[in-house]
Amino acid sequence: MIERGVTDASPSTIWRWLHDDAIKPWQQRCWIFMRDPEFREKAVRALDLYQRRLEGRRLRPDEYVICADEKSQLQALGRRHEGLPVGPGRAARFEFEYHRGGTLAYLAAWDVHHANLFDRIEASTGIEPFGRLVEQVMSSEPYASARTVYWIVDNGSSHAGKTSIKRMQDKWENARLIHLPIHASWLNQIELYFSIVQRKALTPNDFHSTDELAERLLAFGEHYRQIARPFEWKFTRQDLERVLERVDAAQAGRQRGRAHLRLAA
């Protein structure tokens, strides 16, 4: 604008105008449409389990809630030159160029109320690798002799659909697979742990082999087990209802807008 002679205002003034303007077309936000017809029911069930409730009753002391998922296709990206550590007034630096050292999968399960972490490395994700994670948990106490162990998972291919529910219960009589709604991994507490792993163990990504990457992940998991505490999960079914009410109101408004446009045409 200044170069074209449209205005003689300073760049900081122009930025302030743009910042204060009501419409900002250069700003965009990606979102996922809520398309699961049972979104409310599935989400409420998981949120109630976080509060140690299910179908209106309190869970017994010998009932446990596990959140589980996988981080797939984790790459070992060895930097071509050694990084520089932090210094006074200087951030750590690492080389942009890298060579690929392969990929692996990191699977983890988290006891929501007792802060017990189980993790393992696999070559890839899938039904069998996930089954080995389940066995790792269900073959240890107190889960092996528990009344019920509820497994909260998303709809990934390793544990999707009614077949996965039957497969879990056929193998472990006291295990129940609980699916979150489609596109609702943000309701899975294991994602909180994965975000910590990403920040503390995987950034920056500078691993010359999958062995080195696996060693870092398992070492971090062992460290985290020593300091783990239950997450302070504050999003409840009441919060969910408020969010869904806003979504319903927004969708109703869009429908009225489209109807108005059709009438005007």
Side-chain angles (χ1 to χ4, degrees), residues 45-94:
R45 182 171 54 178
L47 293 174
D48 281 354
L49 283 170
Y50 293 161
Q51 298 294 319
R52 294 198 62 79
R53 298 193 67 86
L54 181 65
E55 298 175 351
R57 69 171 181 86
R58 294 287 299 174
L59 295 187
R60 292 169 37 136
D62 59 350
E63 293 181 288
Y64 298 87
V65 180
I66 300 288
C67 286
D69 202 2
E70 310 98 335
K71 285 180 73 70
S72 62
Q73 294 293 308
L74 288 177
Q75 297 187 72
L77 304 179
R79 303 296 161 173
R80 294 188 179 278
H81 300 282
E82 186 176 354
L84 297 176
V86 295
R90 185 192 70 203
R93 301 176 183 178
F94 67 99

Short mmCIF file of all heavy atoms in Angstrom, two decimals, residues 45-94:
data_model
loop_
_atom_site.label_atom_id
_atom_site.label_comp_id
_atom_site.label_asym_id
_atom_site.label_seq_id
_atom_site.Cartn_x
_atom_site.Cartn_y
_atom_site.Cartn_z
N ARG A 45 -20.17 -41.12 27.27
CA ARG A 45 -19.75 -42.36 27.93
C ARG A 45 -18.29 -42.29 28.36
O ARG A 45 -17.93 -42.66 29.49
CB ARG A 45 -19.98 -43.55 26.99
CG ARG A 45 -19.63 -44.89 27.60
CD ARG A 45 -20.07 -46.02 26.71
NE ARG A 45 -19.56 -45.89 25.35
CZ ARG A 45 -19.78 -46.77 24.38
NH1 ARG A 45 -20.52 -47.84 24.63
NH2 ARG A 45 -19.30 -46.58 23.18
N ALA A 46 -17.43 -41.77 27.48
CA ALA A 46 -16.02 -41.65 27.83
C ALA A 46 -15.81 -40.62 28.93
O ALA A 46 -15.04 -40.86 29.89
CB ALA A 46 -15.20 -41.27 26.59
N LEU A 47 -16.48 -39.48 28.82
CA LEU A 47 -16.33 -38.44 29.84
C LEU A 47 -16.82 -38.91 31.20
O LEU A 47 -16.24 -38.58 32.24
CB LEU A 47 -17.07 -37.18 29.40
CG LEU A 47 -16.49 -36.46 28.18
CD1 LEU A 47 -17.40 -35.32 27.74
CD2 LEU A 47 -15.08 -35.96 28.46
N ASP A 48 -17.89 -39.70 31.21
CA ASP A 48 -18.37 -40.26 32.47
C ASP A 48 -17.36 -41.23 33.07
O ASP A 48 -17.14 -41.26 34.29
CB ASP A 48 -19.72 -40.96 32.26
CG ASP A 48 -20.88 -39.98 32.19
OD1 ASP A 48 -20.66 -38.77 32.42
OD2 ASP A 48 -22.00 -40.43 31.92
N LEU A 49 -16.74 -42.03 32.22
CA LEU A 49 -15.72 -42.96 32.73
C LEU A 49 -14.55 -42.21 33.35
O LEU A 49 -13.98 -42.67 34.34
CB LEU A 49 -15.23 -43.87 31.59
CG LEU A 49 -16.17 -45.01 31.19
CD1 LEU A 49 -15.70 -45.68 29.91
CD2 LEU A 49 -16.28 -46.05 32.32
N TYR A 50 -14.19 -41.06 32.78
CA TYR A 50 -13.14 -40.25 33.40
C TYR A 50 -13.54 -39.79 34.80
O TYR A 50 -12.69 -39.58 35.66
CB TYR A 50 -12.82 -39.03 32.53
CG TYR A 50 -12.19 -39.36 31.20
CD1 TYR A 50 -12.19 -38.45 30.16
CD2 TYR A 50 -11.56 -40.58 30.99
CE1 TYR A 50 -11.60 -38.74 28.94
CE2 TYR A 50 -10.97 -40.89 29.77
CZ TYR A 50 -10.99 -39.96 28.75
OH TYR A 50 -10.41 -40.24 27.54
N GLN A 51 -14.85 -39.64 35.01
CA GLN A 51 -15.37 -39.27 36.33
C GLN A 51 -15.71 -40.50 37.18
O GLN A 51 -16.36 -40.38 38.22
CB GLN A 51 -16.63 -38.41 36.15
CG GLN A 51 -16.40 -37.10 35.41
CD GLN A 51 -15.52 -36.15 36.17
OE1 GLN A 51 -15.67 -36.02 37.39
NE2 GLN A 51 -14.60 -35.48 35.48
N ARG A 52 -15.27 -41.66 36.69
CA ARG A 52 -15.53 -42.95 37.36
C ARG A 52 -17.02 -43.22 37.50
O ARG A 52 -17.51 -43.64 38.55
CB ARG A 52 -14.83 -43.04 38.73
CG ARG A 52 -13.32 -43.05 38.63
CD ARG A 52 -12.65 -43.56 39.88
NE ARG A 52 -12.99 -44.95 40.19
CZ ARG A 52 -12.47 -46.02 39.59
NH1 ARG A 52 -11.57 -45.87 38.62
NH2 ARG A 52 -12.86 -47.23 39.94
N ARG A 53 -17.74 -42.99 36.41
CA ARG A 53 -19.16 -43.29 36.36
C ARG A 53 -19.47 -43.98 35.03
O ARG A 53 -18.80 -43.74 34.02
CB ARG A 53 -20.02 -42.03 36.48
CG ARG A 53 -19.85 -41.28 37.78
CD ARG A 53 -20.94 -40.23 37.96
NE ARG A 53 -22.25 -40.87 38.12
CZ ARG A 53 -22.73 -41.30 39.30
NH1 ARG A 53 -22.02 -41.18 40.40
NH2 ARG A 53 -23.92 -41.86 39.36
N LEU A 54 -20.49 -44.83 35.03
CA LEU A 54 -20.93 -45.48 33.80
C LEU A 54 -22.41 -45.83 33.94
O LEU A 54 -22.80 -46.52 34.89
CB LEU A 54 -20.12 -46.76 33.53
CG LEU A 54 -20.49 -47.51 32.25
CD1 LEU A 54 -20.17 -46.67 31.02
CD2 LEU A 54 -19.76 -48.85 32.17
N GLU A 55 -23.20 -45.31 33.01
CA GLU A 55 -24.64 -45.57 32.97
C GLU A 55 -25.29 -45.29 34.32
O GLU A 55 -26.10 -46.07 34.84
CB GLU A 55 -24.90 -47.02 32.54
CG GLU A 55 -24.38 -47.31 31.13
CD GLU A 55 -24.53 -48.77 30.74
OE1 GLU A 55 -24.87 -49.59 31.63
OE2 GLU A 55 -24.32 -49.08 29.56
N GLY A 56 -24.92 -44.18 34.93
CA GLY A 56 -25.55 -43.73 36.16
C GLY A 56 -25.02 -44.33 37.44
O GLY A 56 -25.51 -44.00 38.53
N ARG A 57 -24.04 -45.21 37.38
CA ARG A 57 -23.50 -45.82 38.61
C ARG A 57 -22.03 -45.49 38.76
O ARG A 57 -21.33 -45.19 37.80
CB ARG A 57 -23.67 -47.35 38.56
CG ARG A 57 -22.79 -48.05 37.54
CD ARG A 57 -22.82 -49.55 37.67
NE ARG A 57 -21.95 -50.19 36.69
CZ ARG A 57 -20.66 -50.40 36.88
NH1 ARG A 57 -20.07 -50.03 38.02
NH2 ARG A 57 -19.94 -51.01 35.95
N ARG A 58 -21.56 -45.54 39.98
CA ARG A 58 -20.14 -45.33 40.27
C ARG A 58 -19.36 -46.61 39.97
O ARG A 58 -19.84 -47.72 40.21
CB ARG A 58 -19.95 -44.97 41.74
CG ARG A 58 -20.55 -43.64 42.16
CD ARG A 58 -19.74 -42.47 41.64
NE ARG A 58 -18.37 -42.47 42.14
CZ ARG A 58 -17.44 -41.62 41.73
NH1 ARG A 58 -17.72 -40.71 40.80
NH2 ARG A 58 -16.22 -41.66 42.23
N LEU A 59 -18.17 -46.45 39.42
CA LEU A 59 -17.31 -47.61 39.20
C LEU A 59 -16.83 -48.16 40.54
O LEU A 59 -16.61 -47.42 41.49
CB LEU A 59 -16.10 -47.23 38.35
CG LEU A 59 -16.33 -46.79 36.90
CD1 LEU A 59 -15.00 -46.63 36.19
CD2 LEU A 59 -17.23 -47.77 36.15
N ARG A 60 -16.66 -49.47 40.58
CA ARG A 60 -16.11 -50.11 41.77
C ARG A 60 -14.59 -49.92 41.81
O ARG A 60 -13.97 -49.61 40.79
CB ARG A 60 -16.45 -51.59 41.75
CG ARG A 60 -17.92 -51.88 41.92
CD ARG A 60 -18.25 -53.33 41.63
NE ARG A 60 -17.23 -54.28 42.08
CZ ARG A 60 -17.49 -55.43 42.70
NH1 ARG A 60 -18.74 -55.75 42.99
NH2 ARG A 60 -16.53 -56.25 43.04
N PRO A 61 -13.98 -50.11 42.98
CA PRO A 61 -12.52 -49.97 43.07
C PRO A 61 -11.77 -50.93 42.15
O PRO A 61 -10.63 -50.63 41.75
CB PRO A 61 -12.23 -50.26 44.55
CG PRO A 61 -13.49 -49.91 45.25
CD PRO A 61 -14.60 -50.30 44.32
N ASP A 62 -12.37 -52.09 41.83
CA ASP A 62 -11.68 -53.06 40.98
C ASP A 62 -12.07 -52.91 39.51
O ASP A 62 -11.94 -53.84 38.71
CB ASP A 62 -11.94 -54.49 41.44
CG ASP A 62 -13.42 -54.85 41.45
OD1 ASP A 62 -14.26 -53.94 41.28
OD2 ASP A 62 -13.75 -56.05 41.62
N GLU A 63 -12.53 -51.72 39.12
CA GLU A 63 -12.79 -51.39 37.72
C GLU A 63 -11.82 -50.28 37.30
O GLU A 63 -11.62 -49.31 38.03
CB GLU A 63 -14.24 -50.95 37.52
CG GLU A 63 -15.24 -52.07 37.76
CD GLU A 63 -16.67 -51.60 37.52
OE1 GLU A 63 -17.17 -50.82 38.36
OE2 GLU A 63 -17.28 -52.02 36.53
N TYR A 64 -11.24 -50.43 36.12
CA TYR A 64 -10.17 -49.54 35.68
C TYR A 64 -10.51 -48.96 34.31
O TYR A 64 -11.22 -49.57 33.51
CB TYR A 64 -8.84 -50.28 35.62
CG TYR A 64 -8.40 -50.81 36.97
CD1 TYR A 64 -8.84 -52.07 37.41
CD2 TYR A 64 -7.60 -50.06 37.81
CE1 TYR A 64 -8.47 -52.55 38.66
CE2 TYR A 64 -7.22 -50.54 39.06
CZ TYR A 64 -7.66 -51.78 39.48
OH TYR A 64 -7.30 -52.26 40.71
N VAL A 65 -9.95 -47.78 34.04
CA VAL A 65 -10.16 -47.09 32.77
C VAL A 65 -8.80 -46.85 32.12
O VAL A 65 -7.92 -46.19 32.69
CB VAL A 65 -10.89 -45.74 32.97
CG1 VAL A 65 -11.09 -45.05 31.62
CG2 VAL A 65 -12.23 -45.96 33.66
N ILE A 66 -8.64 -47.39 30.92
CA ILE A 66 -7.39 -47.29 30.17
C ILE A 66 -7.65 -46.50 28.89
O ILE A 66 -8.62 -46.76 28.18
CB ILE A 66 -6.85 -48.69 29.79
CG1 ILE A 66 -6.56 -49.52 31.04
CG2 ILE A 66 -5.61 -48.57 28.90
CD1 ILE A 66 -5.35 -49.08 31.81
N CYS A 67 -6.78 -45.55 28.59
CA CYS A 67 -6.78 -44.87 27.30
C CYS A 67 -5.59 -45.37 26.49
O CYS A 67 -4.48 -45.47 27.03
CB CYS A 67 -6.69 -43.36 27.48
SG CYS A 67 -8.20 -42.57 28.06
N ALA A 68 -5.80 -45.66 25.21
CA ALA A 68 -4.72 -46.22 24.41
C ALA A 68 -4.77 -45.70 22.98
O ALA A 68 -5.84 -45.37 22.46
CB ALA A 68 -4.80 -47.75 24.41
N ASP A 69 -3.60 -45.65 22.37
CA ASP A 69 -3.51 -45.25 20.96
C ASP A 69 -2.08 -45.51 20.48
O ASP A 69 -1.23 -45.98 21.24
CB ASP A 69 -3.89 -43.79 20.77
CG ASP A 69 -4.33 -43.50 19.33
OD1 ASP A 69 -4.38 -44.44 18.52
OD2 ASP A 69 -4.62 -42.33 19.02
N GLU A 70 -1.84 -45.14 19.21
CA GLU A 70 -0.52 -45.34 18.61
C GLU A 70 -0.05 -44.05 17.96
O GLU A 70 -0.85 -43.27 17.45
CB GLU A 70 -0.55 -46.43 17.52
CG GLU A 70 -1.20 -47.73 17.93
CD GLU A 70 -2.65 -47.84 17.47
OE1 GLU A 70 -3.29 -46.78 17.27
OE2 GLU A 70 -3.12 -48.97 17.31
N LYS A 71 1.25 -43.83 18.00
CA LYS A 71 1.89 -42.82 17.15
C LYS A 71 2.56 -43.59 16.03
O LYS A 71 3.56 -44.27 16.25
CB LYS A 71 2.92 -41.99 17.94
CG LYS A 71 2.29 -40.97 18.87
CD LYS A 71 3.33 -40.18 19.64
CE LYS A 71 4.06 -39.17 18.77
NZ LYS A 71 3.20 -38.05 18.36
N SER A 72 2.00 -43.47 14.84
CA SER A 72 2.48 -44.28 13.73
C SER A 72 3.46 -43.50 12.85
O SER A 72 3.50 -42.27 12.89
CB SER A 72 1.30 -44.74 12.87
OG SER A 72 0.62 -43.62 12.33
N GLN A 73 4.24 -44.24 12.08
CA GLN A 73 5.16 -43.65 11.09
C GLN A 73 6.06 -42.58 11.70
O GLN A 73 6.30 -41.53 11.10
CB GLN A 73 4.37 -43.07 9.93
CG GLN A 73 3.62 -44.08 9.08
CD GLN A 73 4.58 -45.00 8.32
OE1 GLN A 73 5.48 -44.51 7.62
NE2 GLN A 73 4.40 -46.30 8.43
N LEU A 74 6.59 -42.86 12.90
CA LEU A 74 7.57 -41.94 13.48
C LEU A 74 8.89 -42.10 12.73
O LEU A 74 9.44 -43.18 12.65
CB LEU A 74 7.76 -42.24 14.96
CG LEU A 74 6.61 -41.85 15.89
CD1 LEU A 74 6.92 -42.28 17.31
CD2 LEU A 74 6.35 -40.36 15.83
N GLN A 75 9.40 -41.00 12.21
CA GLN A 75 10.61 -41.06 11.39
C GLN A 75 11.86 -40.76 12.21
O GLN A 75 11.85 -39.88 13.08
CB GLN A 75 10.52 -40.04 10.25
CG GLN A 75 9.40 -40.29 9.28
CD GLN A 75 9.49 -39.36 8.09
OE1 GLN A 75 10.36 -39.50 7.22
NE2 GLN A 75 8.60 -38.39 8.04
N ALA A 76 12.93 -41.47 11.90
CA ALA A 76 14.25 -41.14 12.43
C ALA A 76 14.95 -40.29 11.38
O ALA A 76 15.29 -40.78 10.31
CB ALA A 76 15.04 -42.42 12.71
N LEU A 77 15.12 -39.02 11.69
CA LEU A 77 15.72 -38.08 10.74
C LEU A 77 17.06 -37.62 11.28
O LEU A 77 17.13 -36.73 12.13
CB LEU A 77 14.79 -36.88 10.51
CG LEU A 77 13.37 -37.20 10.02
CD1 LEU A 77 12.57 -35.92 9.86
CD2 LEU A 77 13.41 -37.97 8.71
N GLY A 78 18.12 -38.26 10.81
CA GLY A 78 19.47 -37.91 11.27
C GLY A 78 19.96 -36.65 10.58
O GLY A 78 20.02 -36.59 9.36
N ARG A 79 20.30 -35.63 11.36
CA ARG A 79 20.77 -34.37 10.80
C ARG A 79 22.17 -34.55 10.20
O ARG A 79 23.02 -35.26 10.74
CB ARG A 79 20.78 -33.28 11.87
CG ARG A 79 19.42 -33.08 12.52
CD ARG A 79 18.39 -32.58 11.54
NE ARG A 79 17.03 -32.82 12.04
CZ ARG A 79 15.94 -32.35 11.43
NH1 ARG A 79 16.06 -31.65 10.31
NH2 ARG A 79 14.74 -32.62 11.91
N ARG A 80 22.41 -33.87 9.09
CA ARG A 80 23.67 -34.05 8.37
C ARG A 80 24.85 -33.38 9.07
O ARG A 80 26.00 -33.68 8.78
CB ARG A 80 23.53 -33.51 6.94
CG ARG A 80 22.54 -34.32 6.11
CD ARG A 80 22.55 -33.90 4.65
NE ARG A 80 21.62 -34.70 3.87
CZ ARG A 80 21.87 -35.91 3.38
NH1 ARG A 80 23.06 -36.48 3.62
NH2 ARG A 80 20.97 -36.56 2.68
N HIS A 81 24.57 -32.45 9.96
CA HIS A 81 25.62 -31.80 10.73
C HIS A 81 25.19 -31.73 12.19
O HIS A 81 24.01 -31.61 12.50
CB HIS A 81 25.90 -30.39 10.19
CG HIS A 81 26.34 -30.37 8.76
ND1 HIS A 81 27.61 -30.70 8.36
CD2 HIS A 81 25.64 -30.11 7.62
CE1 HIS A 81 27.70 -30.61 7.04
NE2 HIS A 81 26.51 -30.26 6.57
N GLU A 82 26.16 -31.79 13.07
CA GLU A 82 25.87 -31.79 14.50
C GLU A 82 25.23 -30.46 14.93
O GLU A 82 25.62 -29.39 14.46
CB GLU A 82 27.16 -32.01 15.29
CG GLU A 82 26.95 -32.17 16.79
CD GLU A 82 28.25 -32.48 17.50
OE1 GLU A 82 29.26 -32.69 16.81
OE2 GLU A 82 28.24 -32.52 18.75
N GLY A 83 24.23 -30.55 15.80
CA GLY A 83 23.57 -29.36 16.28
C GLY A 83 24.40 -28.57 17.27
O GLY A 83 25.43 -29.05 17.77
N LEU A 84 23.96 -27.36 17.55
CA LEU A 84 24.63 -26.50 18.52
C LEU A 84 23.75 -26.36 19.75
O LEU A 84 22.55 -26.06 19.63
CB LEU A 84 24.90 -25.12 17.91
CG LEU A 84 25.83 -25.08 16.70
CD1 LEU A 84 25.92 -23.66 16.16
CD2 LEU A 84 27.21 -25.59 17.09
N PRO A 85 24.31 -26.54 20.94
CA PRO A 85 23.49 -26.44 22.16
C PRO A 85 23.12 -25.00 22.46
O PRO A 85 23.64 -24.05 21.85
CB PRO A 85 24.42 -27.01 23.24
CG PRO A 85 25.79 -26.70 22.72
CD PRO A 85 25.72 -26.86 21.23
N VAL A 86 22.20 -24.84 23.41
CA VAL A 86 21.80 -23.49 23.81
C VAL A 86 22.98 -22.77 24.43
O VAL A 86 23.91 -23.38 24.96
CB VAL A 86 20.63 -23.54 24.82
CG1 VAL A 86 19.40 -24.12 24.18
CG2 VAL A 86 21.02 -24.34 26.06
N GLY A 87 22.95 -21.45 24.34
CA GLY A 87 23.97 -20.61 24.95
C GLY A 87 23.33 -19.35 25.49
O GLY A 87 22.13 -19.14 25.32
N PRO A 88 24.09 -18.50 26.15
CA PRO A 88 23.54 -17.25 26.69
C PRO A 88 22.88 -16.42 25.57
O PRO A 88 23.53 -16.03 24.61
CB PRO A 88 24.77 -16.54 27.27
CG PRO A 88 25.74 -17.63 27.55
CD PRO A 88 25.53 -18.65 26.48
N GLY A 89 21.59 -16.19 25.69
CA GLY A 89 20.87 -15.40 24.70
C GLY A 89 20.75 -16.06 23.35
O GLY A 89 20.45 -15.40 22.35
N ARG A 90 20.94 -17.39 23.27
CA ARG A 90 20.90 -18.08 21.97
C ARG A 90 20.15 -19.39 22.11
O ARG A 90 20.42 -20.19 23.00
CB ARG A 90 22.32 -18.36 21.48
CG ARG A 90 22.38 -18.96 20.07
CD ARG A 90 23.77 -19.47 19.77
NE ARG A 90 24.08 -20.66 20.56
CZ ARG A 90 25.31 -21.06 20.85
NH1 ARG A 90 26.35 -20.34 20.47
NH2 ARG A 90 25.50 -22.17 21.55
N ALA A 91 19.21 -19.59 21.22
CA ALA A 91 18.46 -20.85 21.21
C ALA A 91 19.32 -21.97 20.63
O ALA A 91 20.29 -21.71 19.91
CB ALA A 91 17.19 -20.68 20.38
N ALA A 92 18.96 -23.21 20.97
CA ALA A 92 19.65 -24.35 20.37
C ALA A 92 19.41 -24.35 18.86
O ALA A 92 18.37 -23.90 18.39
CB ALA A 92 19.13 -25.65 20.98
N ARG A 93 20.38 -24.83 18.11
CA ARG A 93 20.28 -24.85 16.66
C ARG A 93 20.49 -26.27 16.15
O ARG A 93 21.31 -27.01 16.68
CB ARG A 93 21.31 -23.92 16.03
CG ARG A 93 21.16 -22.46 16.48
CD ARG A 93 22.27 -21.60 15.90
NE ARG A 93 22.17 -20.23 16.38
CZ ARG A 93 23.04 -19.27 16.06
NH1 ARG A 93 24.08 -19.55 15.29
NH2 ARG A 93 22.88 -18.05 16.54
N PHE A 94 19.73 -26.63 15.12
CA PHE A 94 19.96 -27.93 14.50
C PHE A 94 19.83 -27.81 13.00
O PHE A 94 19.10 -26.96 12.48
CB PHE A 94 19.01 -29.00 15.05
CG PHE A 94 17.56 -28.81 14.70
CD1 PHE A 94 16.98 -29.50 13.64
CD2 PHE A 94 16.77 -27.93 15.43
CE1 PHE A 94 15.65 -29.33 13.32
CE2 PHE A 94 15.43 -27.77 15.11
CZ PHE A 94 14.87 -28.46 14.06
#
